[in-house]
Amino acid sequence: MMSAAVPWMGVFMAMRFPAACMTLLEAMRDAGVDVAETLRRFSGNEALLERFMRAFPQDETFSALSAAVDGARYDEAGRLAHTLKGIAGNLGFQRLQERCADLVSAARETRPADVTAIFDDVAAEHRLLLALLEQAD
């Protein structure tokens, strides 16, 4: 069982040892996703959940969010962070969802230093998820 102190360990294992992640859902479980709860949101349809997870890398919300943060367009950044938070929540990507919620607050309150710092965390979590999705069978 993975310790809460090292939630990224599953991602590290997936990137270093791809064979250790036999399926996408096993890889997600190792990365801290509550797969049972996420499957409940998809009415138990594993194939549908996997299809949506595999589509996540093509979603353009993160790219648009990055541009909004870079351009100091805080209203737009807040809306896009809210959208990404919803996507992450639906897919069970709880850490990304939590960081996006923080970013929504910082953007809505126009706290530039916080927006930048929190966006860096969002970007790091997004990169980890993309790497994990790429490595999973």
Side-chain angles (χ1 to χ4, degrees):
M1 189 95 189
M2 186 171 44
S3 166
V6 286
W8 50 266
M9 185 57 76
V11 174
F12 171 77
M13 293 300 289
M15 291 177 3
R16 186 143 186 236
F17 305 106
C21 292
M22 299 171 78
T23 69
L24 175 61
L25 296 183
E26 288 171 344
M28 289 298 143
R29 189 174 292 114
D30 286 349
V33 171
D34 184 344
V35 172
E37 174 59 25
T38 304
L39 268 171
R40 187 190 63 73
R41 282 193 291 280
F42 282 79
S43 300
N45 189 332
E46 246 181 70
L48 182 62
L49 173 57
E50 286 192 27
R51 190 174 82 198
F52 275 86
M53 284 185 167
R54 291 197 186 280
F56 179 73
Q58 287 76 44
D59 183 80
E60 296 180 2
T61 306
F62 178 80
S63 297
L65 174 59
S66 180
V69 170
D70 287 346
R73 297 186 308 272
Y74 300 116
D75 287 341
E76 182 181 354
R79 284 190 303 276
L80 290 163
H82 187 269
T83 299
L84 187 56
K85 178 180 74 117
I87 293 167
N90 284 328
L91 295 176
F93 301 153
Q94 186 176 350
R95 288 187 300 268
L96 181 60
Q97 181 185 23
E98 290 168 357
R99 295 314 292 158
C100 285
D102 295 338
L103 184 55
V104 168
S105 296
R108 287 183 178 165
E109 295 168 13
T110 315
R111 299 184 322 235
D114 290 342
V115 168
T116 300
I118 295 168
F119 177 75
D120 289 345
D121 292 343
V122 167
E125 185 65 28
H126 189 263
R127 279 191 303 273
L128 288 173
L129 287 167
L130 293 182
L132 182 61
L133 288 165
E134 184 179 312
Q135 293 294 323
D137 291 338

